[in-house]
C-alpha cells in the first residue's frame, strides 16, 4: 500500500535525480533538482543549468539569470544511489564567474600549488537551533542552562541534545564519499563539531560546503536550523570556529617543521590582517583571547597552545614534521577562501 514515506523511499529505476547545490549571495547553500535520463559518470556529463539570481542576492535588475556549472558529484544519501548531489559554481550568462564564486579563484590557486600537494582538515563547529525559541536546543525558553563544563564530548539525557542529527549526518557524509574524519560534542549545549579531512586542494572546499548542505537538510527533517556564526550566544559561552589544519608535502617530510612549517607561520604573521578579514564575519566577537582563542589584534603561534592564533601539535614538534592548525577562521567562513588564502600566503607568496 502506498504512503508518502513509501513513495519518498521508492527507487529511481532508470536515469537519476541530480540535486544541483550552490552558494548564494549570503554565504549560504541552496539547491534544486532535475531528472537526467542517463546517469552521469563525471561532472562533464552534467548539463549547465540556471536559476533566478534576483531571489538569491546575486543578480540585480533585469538580467537575473545565473549559470550553474557542475564541478563535483557525490552519491546522494537522501534519495539513495544512483541519485547524486552536485556541487556547482556560478557564472554570468557571458561566462564570467560571479563575485560570490569563490571556488573559481580557489581552484586556480590549488592548481598553481598542486605539486606541493596541499592537505586540509577543517573542523566545523555549529549550533543546532530551535526556530521557536531562537536558542540552541537544550537551552530553556527562559534563562540559561547549567554553565559550560559537562557538555564537551559529554553523555547523558540531561545534557546532550541532537545526537541523532549528528550521527545521521556523520553516516550521510560517509555514504556521500565526503572525507569526514570525525564528530564531537562541543563546549556549549546544542553545539557540535564535525571534521572534514585530510582533503586535497579544491576537494576541501567542495566537501565542506556539501557537508554543510547535508547537515542543514537533516536538521530540516527535525524542524531545526543550523547556526555557524562565530558568537551566536552572547555571554560566557564558547563561539563556533572552523579551525583549518594545513600541510604540504615538504611539511609532512623529515625536517618539515623547521624548514617549512615555521617559515609558513612567519608568512602568516605578516599577513595577519588580510587573513582575519577573509576568515568570516563577526569573528571579533569570538577572537577575544578567552574561550580557547587568541585576540583578533595579535598573531601568536605556539606548540600545543590552544590560546594561540596558530598551533603546532606536540606530535609535529617532536617528530620534526607534520602539519599546523590555523585556529582563526570563524564557523561561518567560506572554506574556498580560507584554503585559498593559506595556499597563496604559505606556498605561492602572494
Ligand atoms: P583538534 O585536536 O584541534 O580538535 P581534530 O581532530 O578535530 O583536531 O581535527 C584535525 C583535522 O586535521 C582532521 O580533520 C584531520 O583529518 C586533519 N589532519 C590530520 N593530518 C593532517 C595533515 N597532515 N594535514 C592537514 N590536515 C590534517
Ligand atoms: Mn576538533
Ligand atoms: Mn572544536
Ligand atoms: Mn582544533
Amino acid at each position: 500500500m502506498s504512503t508518502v514515506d513509501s513513495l519518498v523511499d521508492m527507487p529511481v529505476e532508470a536515469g537519476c535525480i541530480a540535486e544541483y547545490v550552490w552558494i548564494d549571495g549570503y554565504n549560504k547553500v541552496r539547491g534544486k533538482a532535475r531528472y537526467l535520463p542517463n546517469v552521469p559518470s563525471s561532472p562533464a556529463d552534467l548539463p549547465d543549468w540556471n536559476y533566478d539570481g534576483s531571489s538569491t542576492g546575486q543578480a540585480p535588475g533585469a538580467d537575473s539569470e545565473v549559470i550553474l556549472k557542475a564541478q563535483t558529484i557525490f552519491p546522494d544519501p537522501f534519495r539513495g544511489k544512483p541519485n547524486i548531489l552536485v556541487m556547482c559554481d556560478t557564472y554570468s550568462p557571458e561566462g564570467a564567474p560571479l563575485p560570490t564564486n569563490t571556488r573559481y579563484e580557489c581552484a586556480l590557486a590549488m592548481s598553481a600549488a598542486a605539486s606541493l600537494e596541499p592537505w586540509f582538515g577543517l573542523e566545523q563547529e555549529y549550533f543546532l537551533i530551535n526556530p521557536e525559541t531562537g536558542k540552541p536546543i537544550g537551552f530553556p525558553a527562559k534563562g540559561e542552562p547549567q554553565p559550560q563544563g559537562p557538555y564537551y564530548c559529554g553523555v547523558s539525557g540531561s545534557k546532550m541534545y541532537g545526537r541523532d542529527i549528528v550521527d545521521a549526518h556523520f553516516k550521510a557524509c560517509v555514504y556521500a564519499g565526503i572525507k569526514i574524519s570525525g564528530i564531537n560534542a562541543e563546549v556549549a549545549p546544542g553545539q557540535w563539531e564535525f571534521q572534514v579531512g585530510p582533503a586535497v586542494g579544491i576537494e576541501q572546499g567542495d566537501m565542506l560546503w556539501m557537508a554543510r548542505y547535508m547537515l542543514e537538510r537533516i536538521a530540516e527533517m527535525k524542524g531545526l536550523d543550523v547556526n555557524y556564526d562565530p558568537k551566536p550566544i552572547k555571554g560566557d559561552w564558547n563561539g563556533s570556529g572552523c579551525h583549518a589544519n594545513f600541510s604540504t608535502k615538504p611539511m609532512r617530510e623529515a625536517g618539515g617543521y623547521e624548514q617549512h612549517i615555521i617559515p609558513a607561520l612567519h608568512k602568516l604573521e605578516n599577513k595577519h590582517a588580510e587573513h582575519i578579514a577573509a576568515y568570516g564575519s563577526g569573528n571579533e566577537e569570538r577572537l577575544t583571547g578567552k574561550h580557547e582563542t587568541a585576540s583578533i589584534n595579535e598573531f601568536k603561534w605556539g606548540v600545543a597552545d590552544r590560546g594561540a592564533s596558530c598551533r603546532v601539535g606536540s606530535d609535529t614538534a617532536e617528530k620534526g614534521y607534520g602539519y599546523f592548525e590555523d585556529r582563526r577562521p570563524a564557523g561561518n567562513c567560506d572554506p574556498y577562501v580560507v584554503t585559498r588564502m593559506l595556499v597563496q600566503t604559505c606556498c605561492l607568496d602572494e
Side-chain angles (χ1 to χ4, degrees):
M1 204 169 57
S2 161
T3 62
V4 171
D5 284 348
S6 72
L7 289 170
V8 167
D9 290 338
M10 191 162 62
V12 172
E13 299 287 357
C16 77
I17 297 173
E19 184 83 29
Y20 280 48
V21 174
W22 70 91
I23 303 167
D24 69 9
Y26 312 101
N27 203 40
K28 303 267 183 223
V29 268
R30 309 238 180 169
K32 64 171 183 168
R34 67 188 293 169
Y35 176 71
L36 300 171
N38 298 305
V39 178
S41 51
S42 85
D45 296 338
L46 284 153
D48 289 356
W49 204 10
N50 59 62
Y51 64 91
D52 169 20
S54 70
S55 302
T56 62
Q58 284 168 308
D63 188 3
S64 67
E65 187 158 293
V66 175
I67 309 299
L68 285 170
K69 287 190 184 292
Q71 298 294 356
T72 315
I73 294 176
F74 300 95
D76 180 350
F78 301 102
R79 297 191 176 100
K81 288 168 188 155
N83 304 299
I84 53 175
L85 302 173
V86 185
M87 194 66 213
C88 301
D89 66 352
T90 50
Y91 296 81
S92 72
E94 294 74 34
L98 293 198
T100 48
N101 181 350
T102 51
R103 188 186 191 281
Y104 186 80
E105 241 197 286
C106 181
L108 292 178
M110 294 305 166
S111 306
S115 64
L116 296 172
E117 296 175 27
W119 289 8
F120 304 95
L122 266 57
E123 306 170 45
Q124 176 71 66
E125 294 177 339
Y126 61 93
F127 280 89
L128 292 170
I129 303 288
N130 176 348
E132 276 159 30
T133 61
K135 293 181 177 183
I137 54 173
F139 273 64
K142 284 200 182 109
E144 300 228 317
Q146 187 188 344
Q148 289 184 170
Y151 308 108
Y152 172 74
C153 298
V155 285
S156 94
S158 62
K159 297 182 187 71
M160 305 313 292
Y161 308 92
R163 193 184 297 277
D164 54 348
I165 293 173
V166 173
D167 228 45
H169 176 251
F170 195 0
K171 290 187 178 172
C173 285
V174 172
Y175 180 98
I178 284 174
K179 293 179 176 174
I180 188 162
S181 55
I183 59 101
N184 58 269
E186 268 305 335
V187 176
Q191 189 190 28
W192 297 83
E193 168 179 315
F194 67 87
Q195 304 100 28
V196 172
V200 186
I202 193 71
E203 198 179 62
Q204 176 67 61
D206 287 346
M207 289 187 172
L208 193 72
W209 274 114
M210 193 55 86
R212 284 179 179 173
Y213 172 82
M214 296 198 308
L215 180 59
E216 295 195 46
R217 285 280 305 271
I218 294 165
E220 171 191 316
M221 292 174 184
K222 295 280 186 179
L224 299 176
D225 292 331
V226 182
N227 187 309
Y228 301 109
D229 293 340
K231 191 74 182 182
I233 313 299
K234 312 301 168 203
D236 209 7
W237 300 101
N238 272 42
S240 297
C242 189
H243 298 166
N245 299 273
F246 175 56
S247 65
T248 60
K249 190 160 184 282
M251 292 178 191
R252 296 187 292 271
E253 291 172 350
Y257 176 46
E258 294 285 341
Q259 290 161 35
H260 298 281
I261 293 179
I262 292 177
L265 293 165
H266 288 144
K267 290 177 190 175
L268 287 169
E269 177 163 24
N270 291 332
K271 296 258 167 156
H272 180 60
E274 289 92 328
H275 279 255
I276 287 292
Y279 276 7
S281 59
N283 212 8
E284 64 285 350
E285 291 185 68
R286 164 179 164 262
L287 295 180
T288 56
K290 287 190 205 153
H291 301 114
E292 302 169 78
T293 69
S295 159
I296 197 165
N297 298 315
E298 58 169 351
F299 181 92
K300 214 169 53 144
W301 74 269
V303 175
D305 182 359
R306 285 171 195 275
S309 320
C310 288
R311 173 176 71 99
V312 176
S314 9
D315 194 44
T316 294
E318 276 160 30
K319 286 190 305 194
Y321 61 89
Y323 65 100
F324 69 91
E325 173 190 48
D326 188 343
R327 299 175 61 80
R328 296 171 295 173
N332 63 1
C333 70
D334 178 343
Y336 290 132
V337 174
V338 170
T339 58
R340 169 178 61 79
M341 294 280 291
L342 283 169
V343 158
Q344 285 180 333
T345 300
C346 301
C347 306
L348 304 175
D349 294 306
E350 280 176 22

